[in-house]
Amino acid sequence: MAYLSMGESHRRITDYLNRFADAINYQDGDSLARLFSVSSDSPSLLSLADALNVFQDANRLIKQSEKFSQFGEVVAPFFRSLQCYRLGNLVDAYGAFEKASNAFIQEFRNWESGWALEALYVIAYEIRVLAERADRELASNGKSPEKLKGAGSFLMKVFGVLAGSCDLQGKGPKRVGALYVTCQLFKIYFKLGTVNLCRSVIRSIETARIFDFEEFPIRDKVTYMYYTGRLEVLNENFPAADQKLSYALTHCCLSKEANIRMILKYLIPVKLSIGILPKKQLLENYDLVEYNNIVEALKRGDLRLLRSALQENEDQFLRSGVYLVLEKLELQVYQRLLKKIYIIQKQKDPSKAHQVKLEVIVKALKWLEIEMDLDEVECIVAILIYKNLMKGYFAHKSKVVVLSKQDPFPKLNGKPVAS
Amino acid sequence: MERNNHRRHQVRPFSSSSTTTSSSSGAGSRGDFGALRESDWRSRRQSTASSKTQKPKPKMEAEGGEKEDGLSEIPAVIGTCPFMCPEGERAQRERLRDLAVFERLHGNPGKTSPSLAVKKFCRTISAKEGQASDIRPLPVLEETLSYLLTLLDSTNNSFEALHDFIFDRTRSIRQDLSMQNIANKKAIYMYEKMVWQVKFHVISHLKLRPHSNKSTTSSIHYLNMEQLTKALTSLYNLYDVNHEDSNSVHENEAEFRSFFVLLHLDSRNQPTGGSLALWFRRLPRSIIQSTEMCFARGVLQSFRLGNYKHFLSTIAAEASYLQYCILEPYVNQVRMFALSCINSVGYKLHPYPLARLSNILIMKESDVELLCNACGLEMCMDEAGNKLLPTKQTSFTTPKDSQCYPVLGLERFEMEY
């Protein structure tokens, strides 16, 4: 690091303090926001951090002038946080940043309009990101990671501030920020695995009269629907998951390809579960090739392909949480296999096509290198009929499944398989 | 944690061998409550330091976070209580005649002894009760657990009373472990023992001894499952904290992790954190690929697909005793589902032979008949005298309280345990 003089450090710090005070006095939300983004590693903040570490007594500067000291409660811990961040001490950086944020929120409450929302967004984002990094540091030192959990509690408080804000007319220009904070909370809860905590904030957003969903910024609505859609996938509630993830997809800006990919990653298993197959082109365009073979298996009734596709991408599917959903597609694959047998039989002898010997199914499975005895085949046939994937009955004495002459393989038509 | 409490009791009223972590037996001041000599202190410090892992002591829960059983914000202490029950509590409960049957000296409800009294679980800990002298250190907890387990073999008293007692007292053990932030391998062994011996011994008692009061049985069972899940979650935290690296796995970990899957087979009964899918996300690869976990996942899939044949035959062939104990209520559920399925889908003119049902459901024929009757299904007979189940009966109902019939081939469990 090049030598930094005391004079230069002093200049940088005062420069920042001036910008900070000006941003607040002129209600310049965008400028204020930029002043808080620690983790962005912006050159100006990094150079400020270096200056702080050299100067060491920034508090004196803050107290020197009324212009700066009125924001001392925010700026002093923020400076500490920036210094720690620069020195690689993430745990302390987080702690100080939370202190600064707390002080900021107290000020924010008193400001009338929503001019400072951009800054609030940055703070909410930084709280989460710094907490994540602090936890990584704790874990690597053999300590219990707890900062992200604390960040969640802090953001809940922020949510409360936004929800409770309103001006004299009873409307709240700050309320529109609540969805962004909600999305940060979702990210935290998903990372921690404590998604049950999402419930209370979802309830507030969706049922409280103070919130009008349509008034929130589109970007936040898409993120919100993405996460709530994912929750529905985890609960295997497919119609709701379809609705939410589709909303996110249709409202997502087309240029945000990475986001579209993330939405599709969860929407595709949902669509597959209700009998809708994506085009191969879609999978290629968004690099979701792990679903290729699964779609193929469903088209062909190829149980072996489904199983091998699941095994090949087991890690990935388990990590994204869609493995259990994809596993259940077996029933639809069986349905397709039986339908193919039926079609082949129809071509040979239409009058007898609706009777399928269980032995034939065993043979078909054998060709797919799957060993299954008659009992289990009968069981599968029974379940398919029971769940309305097939219409008919089985006659166990003749070891035959008799299919209905009309519509023996009802389509799912956008509804999930009966459970 | 600061070792500022020098007064370590050496008196062991109920066991002859001293199992403290200190290796120096002669230098210890047995029964001496005065300050220890400087040399004693140093040697003890060294021996305890070497018996623990070298890296910073793993913590079970973050400070200020929720510990198991609702404790929060209490800094970790080192317990010094040498008895299974702190003296103060023992005296108080004698006065109040608040002694469990197993704690009574010669059946006297107002008298107990240090070898019988066991510390009770306490929902709220006051500052007084959080004192070191009321908390039992690890060796005492190990001995307490061993003592409790010997009680499991007693056949004198009512099963419900025994169950309640063990249930409560092991919960207290877990509480003491948690308050001292004991999160090392010894804690793991204790939790595994508690899960294994207590929970499953209790469940198997439930199985082997029919009880007249069905509702008590099912509520005991439900409570058991709830407590079991809690204990398992704490155990998993211990495993996580004790992994030396991302690939290491404790010796019994795969089996104990598989229990979690089996407890949540039904998607309506999801774990409190979210869903089973989320839980899988965080499992180490070696656990996911273990035999025990593959078994559990296979059973999970069969259950959720409704593939009763595969579900039942896999359990009969591969389940360990403990896995079977958890799966038992599901076995019952699946069998009833199978009957419902066969009844509604089978050809009316081909009644289903009892012998085949017995094969598929892996039950004795006589048990199949009993189950059918319980579900409102009637059997018929053919000319050769074989029993059959006519299908398309409209009288099928799922009985509320159904007994679980044994799975053929698993009698080996009954004999071993």
Side-chain angles (χ1 to χ4, degrees):
Chain A
M1 187 172 77
Y3 171 71
L4 186 57
S5 70
M6 283 299 265
E8 172 62 13
S9 310
H10 182 283
R11 191 194 67 74
R12 287 184 194 174
I13 298 172
T14 351
D15 183 27
Y16 179 92
L17 287 169
N18 273 314
R19 280 189 283 145
F20 191 94
D22 287 344
I24 294 187
N25 291 329
Y26 295 119
Q27 299 198 345
D28 182 355
D30 287 338
S31 299
L32 187 61
R34 274 194 293 274
L35 295 174
F36 280 111
S37 57
V38 173
S39 69
S40 66
D41 290 339
S42 72
S44 64
L45 281 178
L46 286 179
S47 70
L48 172 65
D50 290 336
L52 288 167
N53 280 326
V54 166
F55 196 81
Q56 284 295 325
D57 192 11
N59 283 343
R60 184 168 58 83
L61 285 183
I62 297 174
K63 290 195 186 116
Q64 255 172 18
S65 146
E66 172 69 26
K67 187 182 181 192
F68 307 149
S69 63
Q70 55 180 315
F71 309 116
E73 303 263 309
V74 179
V75 178
F78 174 76
F79 278 173
R80 267 203 318 278
S81 171
L82 196 55
Q83 282 178 267
C84 293
Y85 179 82
R86 187 64 169 136
L87 295 172
N89 182 351
L90 274 313
V91 177
D92 290 339
Y94 171 77
F97 193 87
E98 200 192 291
K99 196 146 181 246
S101 309
N102 211 7
F104 176 84
I105 297 294
Q106 304 311 321
E107 292 295 317
F108 179 83
R109 283 178 119 129
N110 300 326
W111 294 332
E112 269 174 29
S113 69
W115 70 266
L117 273 177
E118 274 308 313
L120 185 83
Y121 293 160
V122 169
I123 286 180
Y125 174 85
E126 292 292 328
I127 282 278
R128 176 176 64 87
V129 167
L130 290 175
E132 280 177 17
R133 292 177 63 170
D135 273 359
R136 274 204 288 271
E137 186 180 281
L138 285 170
S140 68
N141 292 337
K143 302 213 191 99
S144 196
E146 41 160 38
K147 296 301 183 191
L148 194 57
K149 198 169 168 194
S153 306
F154 180 78
L155 286 180
M156 275 304 280
K157 239 176 27 178
V158 175
F159 181 88
V161 166
L162 290 171
S165 66
C166 66
D167 64 13
L168 289 167
Q169 277 95 6
K171 269 177 157 262
K174 294 182 208 161
R175 285 199 200 127
V176 86
L179 204 61
Y180 181 86
V181 175
T182 302
C183 292
Q184 294 301 313
L185 277 168
F186 283 164
K187 293 186 193 205
I188 291 179
Y189 295 146
F190 267 82
K191 182 120 197 195
L192 290 174
T194 53
V195 297
N196 56 313
L197 294 176
C198 297
R199 232 178 300 144
S200 69
V201 73
I202 291 176
R203 219 181 306 133
S204 295
I205 295 281
E206 293 185 2
T207 62
R209 276 186 295 130
I210 50 166
F211 291 130
D212 181 357
F213 194 73
E214 291 316 308
E215 282 180 357
F216 290 121
I218 189 75
R219 162 198 73 172
D220 297 337
K221 286 195 281 194
V222 168
T223 312
Y224 179 82
M225 284 300 197
Y226 166 75
Y227 279 106
T228 49
R230 277 185 65 182
L231 283 175
E232 301 287 5
V233 175
L234 285 176
N235 294 327
E236 297 196 1
N237 192 348
F238 297 131
D242 185 19
Q243 182 226 347
K244 293 184 179 166
L245 290 171
S246 297
Y247 179 102
L249 187 66
T250 48
H251 291 82
C252 183
C253 180
L254 275 175
S255 63
K256 306 263 189 214
E257 288 194 6
N259 289 352
I260 294 187
R261 180 175 186 277
M262 278 166 60
I263 299 171
L264 284 173
K265 202 160 77 143
Y266 294 96
L267 186 56
I268 288 173
V270 171
K271 291 285 196 192
L272 292 177
S273 302
I274 57 178
I276 299 173
L277 273 52
K279 295 205 168 67
K280 195 163 186 185
Q281 198 57 51
L282 181 70
L283 298 178
E284 310 263 290
N285 286 347
Y286 289 99
D287 188 27
L288 290 164
V289 293
E290 62 266 26
Y291 289 119
N292 266 337
N293 282 342
I294 298 190
V295 173
E296 211 35 50
L298 279 166
K299 280 191 187 151
R300 300 209 299 238
D302 188 342
L303 192 61
R304 175 182 49 180
L305 186 59
L306 177 71
R307 288 180 177 176
S308 71
L310 282 176
Q311 194 166 14
E312 228 178 271
N313 298 297
E314 190 184 57
D315 263 355
Q316 200 177 22
F317 290 145
L318 278 175
R319 255 182 299 119
S320 56
V322 297
Y323 188 94
L324 296 179
V325 171
L326 295 171
E327 230 183 13
K328 283 169 86 162
L329 294 173
E330 271 202 16
L331 282 181
Q332 285 154 257
V333 174
Y334 278 120
Q335 181 203 39
R336 182 69 192 153
L337 178 65
L338 260 58
K339 186 168 185 181
K340 274 180 121 172
I341 296 175
Y342 168 73
I343 292 173
I344 293 174
Q345 285 188 179
K346 216 172 179 183
Q347 287 168 350
K348 281 198 194 156
D349 183 355
S351 62
K352 294 254 185 64
H354 62 287
Q355 290 189 21
V356 179
K357 293 210 177 108
L358 296 185
E359 264 169 23
V360 171
I361 304 175
V362 172
K363 216 191 258 180
L365 288 168
K366 233 191 197 130
W367 284 333
L368 292 170
E369 291 172 351
I370 296 178
E371 292 289 332
M372 217 179 262
D373 63 21
L374 275 174
D375 277 343
E376 194 172 350
V377 168
E378 189 187 81
C379 168
I380 301 280
V381 159
I383 316 170
L384 287 174
I385 298 174
Y386 194 80
K387 296 191 181 209
N388 212 33
L389 283 166
M390 265 183 3
K391 284 216 184 95
Y393 59 86
F394 71 79
H396 90 88
K397 250 197 211 163
S398 7
K399 302 205 201 315
V400 144
V401 56
V402 179
L403 297 168
S404 161
K405 295 233 172 98
Q406 271 184 340
D407 191 25
F409 296 98
K411 284 193 184 258
L412 284 175
N413 272 336
K415 289 216 192 79
V417 176
S419 58
Chain B
M1 265 189 299
E2 295 211 299
R3 290 181 177 270
N4 48 18
N5 186 342
H6 295 252
R7 292 158 182 262
R8 297 200 123 240
H9 298 211
Q10 290 285 330
V11 178
R12 309 304 245 49
F14 55 87
S15 82
S16 52
S17 65
S18 164
T19 53
T20 57
T21 48
S22 157
S23 57
S24 54
S25 51
S29 42
R30 222 162 242 128
D32 175 5
F33 295 99
L36 296 169
R37 292 178 297 231
E38 193 31 33
S39 55
D40 295 339
W41 178 243
R42 237 182 292 129
S43 66
R44 185 160 300 130
R45 276 278 284 276
Q46 276 166 9
S47 61
T48 50
S50 61
S51 71
K52 292 193 163 76
T53 52
Q54 288 310 310
K55 62 179 198 175
K57 181 164 176 158
K59 282 193 190 175
M60 191 145 90
E61 290 279 5
E63 281 183 280
E66 279 272 313
K67 299 189 202 275
E68 194 213 336
D69 295 320
L71 300 179
S72 59
E73 307 268 355
I74 299 179
V77 293
I78 304 177
T80 57
C81 172
F83 306 106
M84 293 198 292
C85 181
E87 288 192 83
E89 179 185 319
R90 178 165 29 105
Q92 185 185 43
R93 289 205 279 132
E94 271 181 329
R95 270 198 320 271
L96 298 174
R97 298 167 84 82
D98 177 20
L99 296 171
V101 144
F102 312 93
E103 294 172 311
R104 295 177 190 172
L105 197 56
H106 307 307
N108 183 343
K111 203 84 186 74
T112 183
S113 79
S115 58
L116 290 175
V118 182
K119 184 178 176 188
K120 261 181 137 175
F121 171 71
C122 200
R123 207 165 276 280
T124 50
I125 304 285
S126 65
K128 181 177 176 302
E129 282 143 343
Q131 278 179 359
S133 53
D134 284 333
I135 300 178
R136 299 160 289 180
L138 183 59
V140 177
L141 290 173
E142 286 175 321
E143 299 212 26
T144 309
L145 183 60
S146 300
Y147 167 70
L148 287 174
L149 296 179
T150 61
L151 289 180
L152 283 176
D153 295 324
S154 79
T155 49
N156 307 340
N157 304 94
S158 116
F159 177 71
E160 277 84 3
L162 176 64
H163 172 272
D164 285 345
F165 182 71
I166 304 275
F167 183 94
D168 181 82
R169 300 310 194 262
T170 50
R171 211 173 167 194
S172 170
I173 291 180
R174 294 205 302 277
Q175 190 174 40
D176 275 12
L177 282 171
S178 171
M179 284 174 86
Q180 297 174 85
N181 255 336
I182 298 179
N184 55 17
K185 284 212 162 74
K186 290 196 176 183
I188 289 183
Y189 282 124
M190 285 193 71
Y191 266 86
E192 286 181 350
K193 227 187 201 172
M194 283 189 271
V195 168
W196 161 285
Q197 299 239 290
V198 178
K199 304 303 178 190
F200 292 103
H201 207 125
V202 165
I203 292 175
S204 67
H205 270 246
L206 278 170
K207 213 161 46 87
L208 296 170
R209 302 187 198 178
H211 293 279
S212 48
N213 192 346
K214 281 258 164 69
S215 62
T216 322
T217 318
S218 57
S219 67
I220 287 182
H221 194 86
Y222 174 73
L223 261 180
N224 229 319
M225 288 301 152
E226 227 193 86
Q227 276 300 306
L228 180 56
T229 311
K230 275 195 189 160
L232 281 176
T233 311
S234 298
L235 178 57
Y236 299 153
N237 280 339
L238 289 175
Y239 285 141
D240 287 337
V241 151
N242 277 282
H243 283 162
E244 274 122 26
D245 55 65
S246 57
N247 287 325
S248 76
V249 149
H250 193 83
E251 60 182 287
N252 300 318
E253 191 175 340
E255 188 174 7
F256 280 90
R257 295 262 193 194
S258 74
F259 298 155
F260 193 82
V261 176
L262 301 178
L263 282 168
H264 296 102
L265 284 189
D266 201 332
S267 49
R268 286 168 300 178
N269 174 26
Q270 284 303 292
T272 47
S275 77
L276 207 50
L278 264 187
W279 185 81
F280 275 120
R281 249 192 354 183
R282 322 184 109 214
L283 279 187
R285 195 139 205 276
S286 46
I287 297 283
I288 292 183
Q289 292 175 332
S290 66
T291 324
E292 294 87 345
M293 192 51 83
C294 286
F295 165 79
R297 287 171 61 197
V299 160
L300 176 69
Q301 190 193 15
S302 308
F303 181 85
R304 291 195 175 178
L305 285 177
N307 188 343
Y308 48 83
K309 176 74 175 57
H310 191 259
F311 180 82
L312 293 169
S313 56
T314 310
I315 292 178
E318 294 169 31
S320 72
Y321 175 63
L322 308 189
Q323 288 167 333
Y324 174 67
C325 284
I326 301 187
L327 286 167
E328 205 185 48
Y330 293 111
V331 165
N332 204 27
Q333 201 181 325
V334 169
R335 281 169 169 167
M336 295 193 289
F337 171 75
L339 284 178
S340 167
C341 214
I342 292 173
N343 179 50
S344 89
V345 170
Y347 186 37
K348 195 160 184 178
L349 296 181
H350 287 185
Y352 211 87
L354 186 60
R356 278 203 74 195
L357 275 179
S358 152
N359 242 328
I360 293 180
L361 302 180
I362 317 191
M363 300 162 76
K364 283 195 296 209
E365 286 187 25
S366 51
D367 285 343
V368 178
E369 234 188 302
L370 288 172
L371 184 60
C372 287
N373 290 336
C375 293
L377 296 173
E378 286 179 11
M379 316 283 312
C380 66
M381 235 186 326
D382 67 7
E383 302 91 31
N386 297 316
K387 286 214 173 123
L388 308 162
L389 176 71
T391 57
K392 306 287 190 203
Q393 294 190 44
T394 51
S395 50
F396 180 89
T397 48
T398 317
K400 271 198 185 155
D401 268 324
S402 185
Q403 186 187 348
C404 186
Y405 300 94
V407 174
L408 293 179
L410 291 187
E411 297 93 353
R412 63 180 189 272
F413 290 151
E414 325 264 313
M415 291 195 301
E416 276 172 45
Y417 296 94

